[in-house]
């Protein structure tokens, strides 16, 4: 009994108990990690394969402008840090590869080699170079989960200066333009907001939260289906077109009225 009490009072006893407890925690943790290793290894292998295939595709189709290591050239900017979302947006909208250099790359059908798999692989390679915005998930871009009313307020506050109140687009300076949004998918709209393609600014999650982005997507997709109660929508471009029509019709009416009045006066005289 005396020996046991003496051992308990030994100054190193508490450290021995602490070391034993830490060892037990480590063993339990290692068991859980070992159980999850097969899935983690498979996931890592898939990513490595995508990155390797993506680099091969990049060298073949993109390096002539962006450089062998995506460092950028005099023709095209660096892709280090732009993220997978930028790659998905540019390839899915056909803006890249660019057909001809110019102030702005137009939307067109994707290249013949671009599909879901090749886009994912190149995106994985670019993402591996320096991070950046990821491709959004389905829940992030689902218009049904957004508030179209709130989205309309946000869109009018941040976007109508360039894209028009219904997303019909408009001209900018130096040959650039804000594109029509009627063909853009919800995923492409989200990716454009987080990557800022062409002359568009970047709306990160601090400026516009993911929930607000989803509401803006809900508004943009909803306004496409709205009817024009006034009749012919004139392309829904807005006051420029409406003013031009009013000007032409008004001047024509005034000219006809002047001709009619002159003819009546000549008949009387």
């Amino acid at each position: 009994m005396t020996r046991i009490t003496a051992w308990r009072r030994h100054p190193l006893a508490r450290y021995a108990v602490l070391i034993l407890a830490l060892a037990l925690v480590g063993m339990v943790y290692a068991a859980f990690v070992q159980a999850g290793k097969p899935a983690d290894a498979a996931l890592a292998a898939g990513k490595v394969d995508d990155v390797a295939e993506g680099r091969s595709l990049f060298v073949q189709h993109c390096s002539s402008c962006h450089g062998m290591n995506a460092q950028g050239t005099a023709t095209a900017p660096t892709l280090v840090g732009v993220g997978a979302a930028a790659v998905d947006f540019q390839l899915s909208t056909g803006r890249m590869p660019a057909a001809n250099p110019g102030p702005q790359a137009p939307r067109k059908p994707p290249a013949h080699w671009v599909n879901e798999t090749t886009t994912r692989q190149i995106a994985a390679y670019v993402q591996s170079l320096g991070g950046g915005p990821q491709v959004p998930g389905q829940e992030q871009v689902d218009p049904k989960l957004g508030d179209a009313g709130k989205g309309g307020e946000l869109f009018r506050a941040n976007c109508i200066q360039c894209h028009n109140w219904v997303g019909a687009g408009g001209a900018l300076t130096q040959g650039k333009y804000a594109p029509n949004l009627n063909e853009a998918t919800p995923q492409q709209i989200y990716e454009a907001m987080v990557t800022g393609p062409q002359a568009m600014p970047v709306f990160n999650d601090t400026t516009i939260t993911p929930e607000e982005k989803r509401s803006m997507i809900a508004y943009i997709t909803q306004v496409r289906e709205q009817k024009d109660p006034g009749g012919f929508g004139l392309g829904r471009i807005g006051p420029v077109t409406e003013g031009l029509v009013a000007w032409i019709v008004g001047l024509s009416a005034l000219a006809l009225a002047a001709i009619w009045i002159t003819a009546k006066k000549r008949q009387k005289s």
Side-chain angles (χ1 to χ4, degrees):
M1 185 70 179
T2 306
R3 290 182 179 180
I4 295 176
T5 305
W7 182 84
R8 288 179 179 175
R9 293 179 180 178
H10 195 282
L12 297 179
R14 67 183 68 181
Y15 298 107
V17 173
L18 178 61
I19 292 172
L20 180 61
L22 289 174
L24 290 174
V25 171
M27 291 172 62
V28 173
Y29 175 77
F32 279 108
V33 171
Q34 189 65 27
K37 268 188 177 181
D40 292 343
L43 181 62
K47 289 183 178 179
V48 169
D49 289 343
D50 276 352
V51 171
E53 291 294 332
R55 172 163 175 76
S56 177
L57 289 165
F58 182 89
V59 170
Q60 183 178 356
H61 298 287
C62 313
S63 61
S64 59
C65 293
H66 292 283
M68 289 297 293
N69 297 308
Q71 76 276 11
T73 65
T75 305
T78 177
L79 298 183
V80 177
V82 302
V87 175
D88 187 79
F89 174 84
Q90 296 290 346
L91 291 179
S92 67
T93 60
R95 289 178 167 86
M96 292 291 144
N100 296 301
Q104 186 162 323
R107 185 186 183 104
K108 62 183 185 298
H112 66 89
W113 56 269
V114 173
N115 54 48
E116 184 178 345
T117 300
T118 56
T119 299
R120 185 189 72 246
Q121 290 170 341
I122 296 180
Y125 168 65
V126 172
Q127 185 73 31
S128 72
L129 297 177
Q134 295 270 14
V135 175
Q138 182 59 38
E139 185 176 339
Q140 291 177 275
V141 301
D142 190 350
K144 296 178 182 178
L145 301 178
D147 182 346
K150 181 64 175 177
E153 296 177 5
L154 292 165
F155 188 85
R156 288 187 290 272
N158 295 280
C159 310
I160 63 170
Q161 299 89 336
C162 299
H163 286 285
N164 170 279
W165 69 279
V166 291
L172 301 175
T173 59
Q174 300 178 348
K176 298 180 180 181
Y177 58 91
N180 189 317
L181 300 181
N182 288 333
E183 297 182 37
T185 66
Q187 181 167 310
Q188 290 167 352
I189 295 171
Y190 191 102
E191 290 170 344
M193 283 191 277
V194 297
T195 62
Q198 311 293 336
M200 183 172 172
V202 175
F203 295 101
N204 57 36
D205 291 347
T206 303
T207 306
I208 299 178
T209 66
E211 292 76 16
E212 291 174 335
K213 289 183 176 72
R214 188 166 52 198
S215 294
M216 292 173 71
I217 291 171
Y219 168 77
I220 294 169
T221 54
Q222 184 184 91
V223 78
R224 299 171 182 172
E225 304 171 359
Q226 289 182 356
K227 304 297 181 183
D228 297 307
F232 185 47
L234 301 174
R236 308 182 87 181
I237 297 177
V240 174
T241 303
E242 295 167 1
L244 178 61
V245 171
W247 181 262
I248 294 173
V249 172
L251 284 180
S252 300
L254 290 173
L256 291 173
I259 293 171
W260 180 79
I261 293 171
T262 303
K264 294 291 288 184
K265 287 185 176 180
R266 285 181 178 178
Q267 290 177 359
K268 290 182 180 180
S269 60

